[in-house]
Amino acid sequence: MMDVPQLYEKLKKIQEPKGYYFSNDMERVTELLEGLLRNKERYGYMVCPCRLAAGDREADKDIICPCVYREPDVKAFGSCYCNLYVSKAWNDRTIPHEYVPERRPPEKMGF
């Protein structure tokens, strides 16, 4: 099984060329990557650790990391909901670190 440093390096290589960076908050990034690996073990796919997964790949497809909400979140706020993926401006602190609201529709949250 992959460990956090391996996952970090793999995702960094894939995501940075697309303009998505890991947050400078390494403690937070490590926790999130651990959560992704735990969810991969639990569900068989890396579902967002910041959200409640159904355990059904089809129902969870919008929150498989990187989730479908990442792009609009980073575009609007400089960060995704979890603060895992951020823009360069977010890390450079040239934009404010605002709260990123949940975009996932309530009916998908299982409440």
Side-chain angles (χ1 to χ4, degrees):
M1 185 170 157
M2 194 176 293
D3 64 13
V4 169
Q6 290 170 319
L7 182 59
Y8 179 90
E9 287 306 320
K10 179 182 177 182
L11 294 177
K12 184 176 174 165
K13 272 189 232 166
I14 294 168
Q15 301 302 329
E16 281 193 1
K18 298 176 185 177
Y20 298 103
Y21 300 87
F22 284 127
S23 167
N24 286 338
D25 182 347
M26 283 311 297
E27 188 177 327
R28 175 90 175 136
V29 168
T30 299
E31 287 173 7
L32 291 167
L33 293 177
E34 286 169 351
L36 286 171
L37 290 171
R38 219 176 7 263
N39 285 343
K40 170 99 170 135
E41 200 173 290
R42 183 181 295 148
Y43 303 115
Y45 48 94
M46 288 196 297
V47 67
C48 177
C50 299
R51 294 178 167 108
L52 189 59
D56 174 285
R57 191 180 191 97
E58 184 60 28
D60 291 338
K61 70 182 180 183
D62 63 320
I63 56 169
I64 293 174
C65 190
C67 73
V68 300
Y69 311 106
R70 178 186 70 169
E71 185 178 343
D73 284 350
V74 173
K75 196 172 282 183
F77 300 98
S79 173
C80 71
Y81 180 68
C82 297
N83 303 131
L84 177 63
Y85 289 111
V86 301
S87 66
K88 190 166 178 358
W90 172 278
N91 272 342
D92 293 345
R93 293 197 156 278
T94 57
I95 60 169
H97 288 192
E98 294 179 47
Y99 170 75
V100 180
E102 173 63 272
R103 288 181 190 264
R104 193 171 199 218
E107 62 272 12
K108 288 194 162 223
M109 293 189 216
F111 301 121

